[in-house]
Amino acid sequence: AARNCGAAYLISFRKGLLHNNELTDSCYDGMYPGHIHTTPIQKALLAVGSGVAALQNPYRHDMVAVLGETTGHLALMNLRDRMRNDPEGYTVLTERPRIRLSTLDLNRMASLPDGSFGREYLRFLEDNHVTPDSRADVKFVDHEELAYVMQRYREVHDLLHTLLGMPTNMLGEVAVKWFEAAQTGLPMCALGAVLGPLRLSSSRLQSLFTSLGPWALQNGRRSRCILSIFYERRWEQNLEDLRQELNIEPPPPVILGETNKRTVKEE
């Protein structure tokens, strides 16, 4: 049954139907809601197909999600172990909080003072017209705990934008990917870090390679594990204090003027 399910999903993938809920429900095997078992060969096919699709259109977040799930097993194990060895990270693994609109108290976050982590995160969502509910559920990770690690990684992505002071334009996204590549070791992040600059203008490439990129890599390597933070209990904390705790330096002044702009796609 699992082989038939995997084959059916591959057919659906080729037809661009990754969000076919009926197929997902029919393939659910009980490991965790939505899980689809695939063989190593099927994972390889999914990785290649999603990688090609993501290269053609980096804004296909569904393709990027599949690529991450089918190539990130070793990195997810390392991230899980880092969380287990951190008291706060262990609590996150045990309680498994989710960052969704249904779990956020937006009114309370709006009442927090400017400069607090919760208020600045809410401001980021509002200014860039994004929602945490846009993060896809994990399907192809064949381990229940590692699937949560991947889900948590996806759901803290926008929090990372807030922590790093990065906008959602292509330059900001590439900088976050450079940070994530150094921090997580996920192949998907490394691929995005390498290929993302190809879509930047010459002036933004210069900013990336001379200041923003080195800053992102350095902070990604030395900062505390970003998945080991129980962010839902940190909304009232001052953003600058949280950055210092995580050993994250403020972004270079070269891009500070862009951090409050709304979403822009590179031409």
Side-chain angles (χ1 to χ4, degrees):
R3 290 180 72 182
N4 292 337
C5 176
Y9 207 88
L10 285 168
I11 293 172
S12 175
F13 173 79
R14 294 189 187 104
K15 293 180 178 179
L17 301 176
L18 276 171
H19 295 298
N20 187 322
N21 292 329
E22 293 181 1
L23 179 61
T24 299
D25 291 340
S26 68
C27 293
Y28 170 44
D29 64 5
M31 182 177 289
Y32 55 84
H35 173 252
I36 297 174
H37 175 75
T38 49
T39 67
I41 292 177
Q42 290 167 342
K43 279 187 173 61
L45 290 173
L46 285 169
V48 171
S50 59
V52 171
L55 287 175
Q56 293 175 341
N57 183 2
Y59 291 97
R60 284 294 302 273
H61 299 297
D62 53 347
M63 300 293 102
V64 175
V66 173
L67 180 63
E69 293 176 33
T70 53
T71 62
H73 182 74
L74 293 178
L76 290 174
M77 290 180 62
N78 180 58
L79 288 168
R80 187 268 314 274
D81 292 344
R82 292 171 66 186
M83 295 175 72
R84 284 181 174 177
N85 292 326
D86 183 288
E88 189 173 0
Y90 184 79
T91 302
V92 173
L93 274 179
T94 302
E95 299 191 16
R96 300 194 180 184
R98 295 291 304 273
I99 301 174
R100 317 287 289 179
L101 287 178
S102 60
T103 66
L104 298 177
D105 188 342
L106 299 182
N107 290 330
R108 174 173 170 268
M109 294 171 71
S111 69
L112 294 174
D114 290 340
S116 64
F117 179 53
R119 184 67 190 89
E120 296 309 316
Y121 170 57
L122 181 60
R123 195 189 314 279
F124 170 85
L125 296 178
E126 294 171 341
D127 288 350
N128 294 284
H129 304 290
V130 295
T131 168
D133 288 357
S134 64
R135 302 300 168 187
D137 290 333
V138 175
K139 296 181 178 69
F140 297 109
V141 177
D142 295 331
H143 188 285
E144 189 264 346
E145 189 174 42
L146 296 183
Y148 175 74
V149 175
M150 175 60 82
Q151 192 70 49
R152 186 65 173 176
Y153 158 75
R154 287 180 184 167
E155 294 182 4
V156 305
H157 178 80
D158 290 335
L159 300 178
L160 193 54
H161 271 275
T162 304
L163 282 170
L164 298 178
M166 291 295 105
T168 57
N169 59 22
M170 184 58 73
L171 178 61
E173 291 291 353
V174 171
V176 172
K177 275 291 174 280
W178 282 36
F179 179 96
E180 290 178 337
Q183 167 77 197
T184 69
L186 285 165
M188 166 196 63
C189 297
L191 184 65
V194 171
L195 299 178
L198 300 178
R199 300 178 63 87
L200 295 175
S201 64
S202 57
S203 61
R204 294 192 173 186
L205 271 177
Q206 183 177 4
S207 296
L208 177 69
F209 288 122
T210 59
S211 59
L212 189 55
W215 165 83
L217 291 174
Q218 181 183 25
N219 281 270
R221 285 193 296 264
R222 73 181 187 182
S223 68
R224 183 178 168 189
C225 179
I226 57 172
L227 300 187
S228 293
I229 309 302
F230 209 134
Y231 295 101
E232 296 86 342
R233 298 178 180 175
R234 304 292 197 111
W235 299 136
E236 297 181 0
Q237 186 172 356
N238 180 269
L239 176 57
E240 294 302 324
D241 291 343
L242 181 56
R243 283 175 175 165
Q244 291 182 14
E245 180 184 339
L246 300 182
N247 205 20
I248 295 176
E249 294 181 347
V254 65
I255 51 84
L256 287 180
E258 299 181 17
T259 55
N260 292 324
K261 289 184 179 180
R262 297 187 176 183
T263 304
V264 177
K265 292 185 180 181
E266 293 291 329
E267 297 296 326

